[in-house]
Amino acid sequence: MGKGRWSSFINQKLQQSKLSTLMVTCFIAFNLLLVSVIVWLAYQSFSAVTFAEISKARLALLNESTRRGFDFITGVTGTAYALASNRELSSLLETADTGRLAQIHQRREVSRILDHTMVVSEGITSIELYTDVFNEVTVTMADRIFPVDTIAHDSWFATLEKADAAWVPLRENESGQSLVGYAQRIFDSRGGTVAYVLIRLSRADIVRRFADVPMVLDGKVLLVDTAGNVVMQMGKVDPAGEKERADRRNEASTVQEKGEAVNSSSSIIDSAWIQEHVQPGADGYEVVSGQPGGAQLVLYSRPAMLQWRLVQTIPVYTLLSPLRQAGWQILGIAVLGLLCSAVLAYLFVRQIIRPLRQLIKRMRQLEKGDFDTRVQLSFTEEYAHLAYGFNHMASQLTTLMEQVKEESRAKREAQTGLLEAQIKPHFLYNTLDMIHWRALDYEAKDISRMIVQLSKLLRIGLSGGRLFIRVRDELEHARCYVNIQSERLPFSIQYQEQIDPHMRGCYIPKIILQPFIENAVMHGHPEEGTLRIQVYMHEEVGPHEDIVIRITDNGRGLPEGWKLEETCGIGVRNVHQRIQLYCGKRYGVQLSDRESGGVEVTITLPRIETDEQLNLWLDGEK
């Protein structure tokens, strides 16, 4: 019900709207839809291409940053190897068979070597030595030599026991800085482990290596070792994207243990994710959804020396921020173009609608009776056709009005003539009636009968101007004609009728029997001396319920080669044309020779029983 009301409401509003308004509205709506789709598709396509190019550029930059940033690894490993292969240091660590004073001296020399190495090595926070050879020596001043038990319980120590050297994550020291270290075993002359040297690197030391590439610390950067474990996090994700990279570059982050998820509360990029998605020895990027701050672009560089790499995460929102600004600018330009096109469309539609308004104005003048009004031809073919059609219609209306006036005048004259003609039959009937009584006065009964039959013949033939009469009246008309001819002809006429009683009240065109009976009388000339005429009328069995009338005689038959279409006689052709004119082409007259001699006439008519049916046939609705 509601849908029907809405449909009716919309149809009513459309009918009340002007064509110019509808055209401009449809044009604006279509252009708005088209521009929206084009802008959206262009933005999506441009965003995809731009995002891919930006991602590739960022990946190339990350690879370069990895290559440059990890150059210091050679120096750190070289420093550790130099200490491990230092013969002086190895000899100083061999304290067997030495006294306490000698051990104190040896410890001081070892500390000196470490301090010297620390001074000459760049980018190293500290160098520490873990050994048990000086456990018996009392320390009077702080140095960088500690017992092995200090690191024996760290998680990375077990890994170091299986290798000569390894990069290891470290716990926070007293300064609170997050550190990463490189540990190297030092062997004695017998091949046993005598000490462990640990080179500590702070986060600031590592970040300083990437300072020459400003974009590298956008978002969050993870330092990943060979096994895919997160060693360190550099940078910090800022969801608002409003802090400067320099501030983020100087922030300190907590040292993470190897294999521990980094910032798991706000990111799903951890060691497990890296081990699952990052391909060994290759670089690439991937968009990760489901982050609290939105989608993240994850880039991982090609492994550098020692197979370490950088993994960088950047919020897609931040990465595409300039692109969104360009998108808004494009959208603004599109809206401005749409407004300009709407103005141009209004002016164009107004120019297009002007001939229609002129045509409507001329039609209203035509409604008021101004048939001389005309429309000027327009510049377009369609409007030219409309203008030509209107002008032709106006001309035709003028012509038809003149014809109507002429027909009205002729109709009045015909009605006057009809009134005058109605007096003539009345005078004729009175005259025939007077002759009839005059003949009776002279006892001329044969003349009296002929006068009576002629009077009936004329009354039925005229029948008040009606085109259809009852079957019984038509049969009476035929009998009157036969009686008149029987009085004057030298041969006798035998006339018979076989009529279905149900058909006597049906309507048929008048005077359709008499012309064929007249032809039989005038042209039959029977050899027997008696002309036999028989009239049969019955209903034809079929879907149309037609009336079939057959008239037969025993005359000489039709002339050779006779055709109804080529006959020059008036009566037969007149009956056939009147039947087809009143009843249709399916009905009419057919004539043929009988095998026993004579002519057989077949008349097919529709069955019309009531006045209502007769009116439908006369009005052409049947």
Side-chain angles (χ1 to χ4, degrees):
M1 188 67 180
K3 183 177 180 181
R5 291 180 179 177
W6 272 108
S7 178
S8 301
F9 176 77
I10 293 175
N11 291 334
Q12 183 180 2
K13 289 299 181 181
L14 290 176
Q15 293 175 358
Q16 295 175 354
S17 301
K18 293 184 178 180
L19 181 59
S20 58
T21 305
L22 290 177
M23 292 180 65
V24 172
T25 303
C26 293
F27 179 82
I28 294 176
F30 175 76
N31 278 1
L32 179 61
L33 179 61
L34 182 62
V35 169
S36 301
V37 172
I38 292 176
V39 169
W40 185 81
L41 292 177
Y43 178 77
Q44 292 295 326
S45 177
F46 182 70
S47 299
V49 174
T50 305
F51 182 76
E53 294 299 326
I54 292 176
S55 301
K56 293 178 181 178
R58 287 300 186 105
L59 182 60
L61 185 60
L62 188 65
N63 284 325
E64 181 65 17
S65 300
T66 303
R67 186 186 66 80
R68 292 184 182 182
F70 285 106
D71 285 345
F72 76 95
I73 292 179
T74 304
V76 173
T77 56
T79 300
Y81 180 76
L83 290 175
S85 60
N86 190 321
R87 294 183 179 274
E88 181 183 2
L89 180 61
S90 298
S91 62
L92 290 174
L93 292 176
E94 294 182 0
T95 59
D97 300 330
T98 58
R100 293 176 57 87
L101 292 177
Q103 290 182 3
I104 293 174
H105 175 72
Q106 289 175 331
R107 180 166 183 157
R108 289 178 178 176
E109 287 298 318
V110 171
S111 180
R112 181 186 60 79
I113 292 174
L114 296 177
D115 291 340
H116 176 73
T117 304
M118 179 69 184
V119 171
V120 298
S121 300
E122 182 183 0
I124 296 177
T125 302
S126 66
I127 301 177
E128 300 172 357
L129 187 70
Y130 295 88
T131 181
D132 291 333
V133 298
F134 300 118
N135 289 346
E136 302 298 331
V137 178
T138 303
V139 180
T140 58
M141 57 184 304
D143 58 12
R144 295 184 177 86
I145 303 173
F146 305 97
V148 177
D149 292 340
T150 308
I151 60 174
H153 300 290
D154 290 342
S155 60
W156 53 267
F157 186 75
T159 304
L160 186 62
E161 288 295 315
K162 301 177 183 178
D164 293 342
W167 287 90
V168 296
L170 303 177
R171 293 191 301 269
E172 294 182 358
N173 59 3
E174 292 78 1
S175 64
Q177 292 182 320
S178 300
L179 303 179
V180 64
Y182 184 77
Q184 174 88 38
R185 288 201 295 178
I186 300 177
F187 300 96
D188 56 14
S189 58
R190 293 181 297 275
T193 302
V194 66
Y196 300 92
V197 61
L198 179 62
I199 301 177
R200 290 181 178 270
L201 300 175
S202 68
R203 178 183 183 278
D205 293 332
I206 298 177
V207 171
R208 194 179 303 114
R209 299 290 178 173
F210 304 97
D212 59 334
V213 186
M215 296 178 65
V216 75
L217 290 183
D218 285 356
K220 180 176 65 175
V221 180
L222 304 178
L223 179 63
V224 181
D225 63 7
T226 305
N229 298 314
V230 177
V231 177
M232 179 181 292
Q233 172 183 326
M234 295 174 288
K236 188 175 181 181
V237 179
D238 184 6
E242 298 178 354
K243 294 185 178 181
E244 297 293 336
R245 286 194 297 268
D247 295 340
R248 296 200 305 268
R249 192 176 296 131
N250 294 329
E251 290 179 358
S253 59
T254 306
V255 173
Q256 306 291 330
E257 294 293 333
K258 181 183 292 186
E260 180 182 0
V262 178
N263 197 16
S264 60
S265 62
S266 61
S267 174
I268 62 173
I269 308 303
D270 53 11
S271 298
W273 188 95
I274 294 173
Q275 293 173 5
E276 180 181 356
H277 293 81
V278 176
Q279 299 180 1
D283 59 354
Y285 61 89
E286 184 176 341
V287 177
V288 179
S289 303
Q291 297 280 53
Q296 301 282 331
L297 174 64
V298 180
L299 304 102
Y300 47 91
S301 66
R302 191 176 294 107
M305 297 182 62
L306 301 180
Q307 295 300 310
W308 284 30
R309 72 172 83 211
L310 294 179
V311 177
Q312 184 180 13
T313 60
I314 305 174
V316 176
Y317 182 87
T318 304
L319 195 64
L320 297 180
S321 179
L323 187 61
R324 281 193 301 274
Q325 295 178 0
W328 284 111
Q329 293 176 358
I330 294 174
L331 182 60
I333 295 174
V335 171
L336 182 61
L338 182 63
L339 294 177
C340 294
S341 65
V343 175
L344 294 177
Y346 173 75
L347 297 177
F348 179 74
V349 170
R350 183 179 179 184
Q351 186 68 21
I352 290 294
I353 296 299
R354 182 176 298 173
L356 282 180
R357 292 178 176 173
Q358 181 184 8
L359 180 60
I360 293 173
K361 181 179 179 181
R362 296 295 183 267
M363 290 180 66
R364 290 175 178 173
Q365 292 179 355
L366 188 64
E367 290 177 355
K368 295 178 180 179
D370 185 5
F371 295 100
D372 295 330
T373 183
R374 295 294 183 271
V375 177
Q376 297 180 355
L377 296 179
S378 181
F379 59 91
T380 59
E381 181 180 0
E382 290 77 6
Y383 286 145
H385 281 299
L386 287 176
Y388 174 78
F390 177 84
N391 294 337
H392 181 69
M393 179 188 68
S395 300
Q396 288 293 103
L397 286 176
T398 303
T399 303
L400 290 176
M401 290 296 294
E402 295 296 332
Q403 292 180 357
V404 169
K405 292 179 181 179
E406 183 66 24
E407 291 176 358
S408 298
R409 183 183 61 79
K411 185 177 180 180
R412 288 195 299 270
E413 293 178 356
Q415 289 176 348
T416 303
L418 181 61
L419 293 175
E420 293 176 354
Q422 289 178 353
I423 300 175
K424 296 177 181 179
H426 182 70
F427 172 76
L428 179 61
Y429 297 152
N430 292 336
T431 303
L432 291 175
D433 188 59
M434 185 171 51
I435 295 174
H436 162 63
W437 290 108
R438 189 67 174 175
L440 289 179
D441 291 339
Y442 288 93
E443 295 183 358
K445 296 181 179 181
D446 53 347
I447 297 175
S448 175
R449 286 195 300 271
M450 293 178 64
I451 294 298
V452 172
Q453 296 299 323
L454 177 61
S455 178
K456 289 183 179 180
L457 185 71
L458 292 176
R459 289 181 185 273
I460 296 174
L462 295 175
S463 62
R466 295 193 301 272
L467 301 177
F468 283 70
I469 59 177
R470 302 281 186 179
V471 171
R472 56 177 174 266
D473 295 329
E474 180 65 19
L475 293 174
E476 180 67 22
H477 182 270
R479 286 194 293 270
C480 291
Y481 176 78
V482 171
N483 293 333
I484 292 175
Q485 293 295 343
S486 298
E487 295 291 340
R488 57 175 290 272
L489 293 177
F491 54 86
S492 62
I493 300 176
Q494 186 179 352
Y495 176 78
Q496 295 180 350
E497 296 176 352
Q498 294 184 6
I499 310 300
D500 187 348
H502 297 91
M503 295 183 181
R504 292 185 176 274
C506 295
Y507 286 98
I508 60 174
K510 65 181 181 180
I511 314 178
I512 61 174
L513 300 180
Q514 182 270 334
F516 299 105
I517 296 175
E518 181 179 356
N519 283 341
V521 172
M522 302 301 297
H523 306 291
H525 304 295
E527 298 178 356
E528 304 176 4
T530 300
L531 178 63
R532 295 184 180 87
I533 300 176
Q534 296 178 331
V535 178
Y536 305 91
M537 185 178 299
H538 65 277
E539 180 181 356
E540 184 179 17
V541 179
H544 300 289
E545 297 183 354
D546 294 334
I547 295 177
V548 178
I549 303 174
R550 287 187 175 87
I551 306 172
T552 62
D553 62 60
N554 61 343
R556 291 184 299 179
L558 296 173
E560 184 177 356
W562 185 89
K563 294 182 179 179
L564 178 63
E565 296 80 8
E566 299 176 358
T567 182
C568 58
I570 298 176
V572 176
R573 187 170 55 188
N574 178 275
V575 172
H576 180 69
Q577 291 177 351
R578 283 192 296 119
I579 291 175
Q580 290 196 336
L581 179 64
Y582 299 150
C583 304
K585 298 296 183 179
R586 194 166 63 86
Y587 302 100
V589 177
Q590 293 180 353
L591 283 82
S592 61
D593 288 323
R594 298 175 63 196
E595 295 181 0
S596 59
V599 177
E600 179 176 344
V601 180
T602 303
I603 304 174
T604 306
L605 298 169
R607 181 163 183 168
I608 304 174
E609 298 180 343
T610 63
D611 293 337
E612 290 77 8
Q613 294 178 353
L614 178 61
N615 292 330
L616 293 177
W617 280 99
L618 293 176
D619 294 338
E621 298 182 14
K622 280 281 190 173

